[in-house]
Amino acid sequence: MRWALVRVALAVTVMVVAAFAVPLGLVVKEMARDRAFSNAERRAAALGPALAITSDRRELDRAVASTEDGAAGRLAVHIPASDQTGGRPIEIGTRRAAEKDLRTTRAYGRAAIAAVPGGSVLLQPTALGTGQVAVVELYVPEAEVTNGVATAWLVLAGVGAALVVGSVAVADRLGVRMVRPAQRLARAAHDLGEGRLGARVPEDGPPELRSAATAFNSMADQVVRLLANERELAADLSHRLRTPLTVLRLNTASLGEGPAAEQTRAAVAQLEREVDTIIRTAREAKPQTQAAGPGAGCDASEVVRERMGFWSALAEDEGRTVRLAGTDRPVRIPVARPELAAALDALLGNVFRHTPEGTAFSVDLHNGEDAVIVLVSDAGPGIADPAAALERGNSGERDGSTGLGLDIVRRVAESTGGDVRIGRSVLGGTEVRIWIGLDGRASAAARDEGRRRGKGRSAARTSVISRLTRSR
């Protein structure tokens, strides 16, 4: 596509330059010719007064010799025979014109131009006092006729070449602007086809390619969600097999001894091992869902609205008041859509599990220069020991908790260089604050260093969050 645009621009520009430069070059040449012969007519007319008052050869010789053209041998005067000339024609200067051209000029009584070797001659008729017509012949060399034409043509050629080069350069830049997004889209599609589910493309370039990039990213997110759902379904179905397997294992104990009983017990044990392997593989074989590169991630506002729409139905059934803020405009974050959705579901699920029915809750989204903050607040009894709740897996000691919810939230935040804080909400209950960095994934060493510094960074972030909250 890039070279096709360059070729089209080259062809169009060459045709435009040719359409304008060739006629303009011919006009320049004609103007130079007109200028040369206009000057020749003016110089030839300078002999008119002398011819009008005398036909004496010596006087005319002096008059011709006094002119620049006469001194250079380019001026001649042809006087027809008369009584004053002694019945013979007079010719002064160097003659170049043919006799028939002289006769034609006298007959028509107007200036004429005739071609001669090395250039042209201007034949200017001039009336004499005797009533006859003399002809002043002025030689104009070819170099004078074409004076300045070559320079003008070179300038036109240079301008035309500059236009061609400029149009090719502009077409090439436009081609790059169009081709690069298409190439990135093709590479991302190839990566996705090879199983790299984190492949995303920046949503930039021409509108059509931006639309294609948006559609591709949405498709990739959907593929990730489908695969995640498939793994969860496989793990769930495998987990459900454990109950009948346990019954089978207990029943095999009553089979007594014998080869058949031993074979049955071995088969049940093998089946249990296979089920355990399926569950472990489904839980641990998590594909790369964290998108990388410019334009990767998801729109946090869209994900928050979607998940709140899901949980709002249950909230309505339980008489809970729900408040949502900060999702009125797109907020792009470097987190894959399924990851953010899982983190929100974990936090909102905790609200429903650990607060009484009728307890209000809210979700606020704050967009800063270097971070996006998600606040999940409730009006419940709160968490007695927030620090202990954030310890990996410790939340599993609470009733109805698996201990994995806050771990999911922490992984999402730390994947961007952010973190998670638990405190007291303005509603009186618990507030979980997710800090999502916008500068990309932070290394583990950088996060550990930040944690060693501890309170200084926490105070700074608390200040920023307070300003963002007040701005709402």
Side-chain angles (χ1 to χ4, degrees), residues 110-448:
R110 60 174 179 267
I113 298 173
V116 297
S120 303
V121 290
L122 173 69
L123 303 177
Q124 178 70 44
T126 303
L128 300 175
T130 60
Q132 293 178 308
V133 177
V135 177
V136 179
E137 175 188 336
L138 182 64
Y139 173 65
V140 181
E142 187 65 28
E144 185 175 338
V145 173
T146 60
N147 183 31
V149 174
T151 302
W153 284 4
L154 286 176
V155 171
L156 287 175
V159 171
L163 288 175
V164 171
V165 172
S167 67
V168 169
V170 171
D172 182 67
R173 291 300 90 197
L174 291 176
V176 169
R177 184 173 177 268
M178 295 178 61
V179 168
R180 282 182 179 173
Q183 290 174 339
R184 287 195 294 263
L185 184 60
R187 286 195 298 269
H190 184 267
D191 292 341
L192 187 64
E194 290 186 348
R196 291 188 283 274
L197 302 182
R200 300 295 186 276
V201 292
E203 297 174 7
D204 57 10
E208 295 80 5
L209 291 177
R210 284 202 302 270
S211 176
T214 302
F216 176 85
N217 291 338
S218 299
M219 178 196 69
D221 292 341
Q222 181 67 16
V223 169
V224 171
R225 286 197 297 271
L226 291 175
L227 290 177
N229 292 338
E230 182 181 352
R231 287 193 308 275
E232 292 298 326
L233 179 61
D236 183 62
L237 292 176
S238 302
H239 185 78
R240 293 183 182 185
L241 291 175
R242 281 181 169 176
T243 300
L245 282 175
T246 302
V247 175
L248 286 176
R249 183 167 53 82
L250 294 175
N251 289 338
T252 56
S254 62
L255 294 179
E257 301 296 333
E262 291 298 329
Q263 290 178 357
T264 302
R265 283 191 285 270
V268 171
Q270 176 66 24
L271 185 58
E272 284 184 320
R273 287 194 297 271
E274 294 296 335
V275 170
D276 289 341
T277 300
I278 293 174
I279 295 174
R280 186 167 52 253
T281 301
R283 293 293 185 186
E284 295 178 356
K286 184 177 181 180
Q288 178 193 2
T289 58
Q290 174 64 36
C298 68
D299 181 0
S301 296
E302 181 183 354
V303 177
V304 171
R305 290 195 302 268
E306 177 187 334
R307 301 320 301 160
M308 285 296 288
F310 172 81
W311 289 98
S312 293
L314 181 57
E316 184 178 355
D317 291 341
E318 296 187 356
R320 297 176 183 266
T321 302
V322 180
R323 185 178 68 88
L324 178 63
T327 60
D328 53 340
R329 60 181 181 274
V331 178
R332 196 76 185 177
I333 60 173
V335 175
R337 183 188 186 96
E339 302 296 329
L340 180 60
L344 290 172
D345 287 342
L347 294 179
L348 295 175
N350 284 340
V351 172
F352 281 86
R353 281 192 296 269
H354 303 302
T355 61
E357 293 188 7
T359 301
F361 67 94
S362 66
V363 177
D364 297 82
L365 185 65
H366 304 283
N367 187 14
E369 293 182 359
D370 59 350
V372 171
I373 301 167
V374 181
L375 301 177
V376 179
S377 310
D378 64 62
I383 297 178
D385 190 355
L390 280 174
E391 293 181 5
R392 189 176 299 275
N394 194 54
S395 60
E397 298 176 359
R398 302 168 62 189
D399 294 338
S401 174
T402 64
L404 298 179
L406 289 178
D407 281 346
I408 295 174
V409 177
R410 181 191 296 108
R411 283 197 301 269
V412 169
E414 290 181 350
S415 69
T416 66
D419 57 18
V420 179
R421 294 283 186 268
I422 297 179
R424 178 67 61 177
S425 73
V426 296
L427 300 178
T430 303
E431 176 186 84
V432 180
R433 183 177 299 156
I434 310 173
W435 179 288
I436 299 174
L438 298 180
D439 295 332
R441 182 184 297 271
S443 64
R447 292 196 297 269
D448 292 341

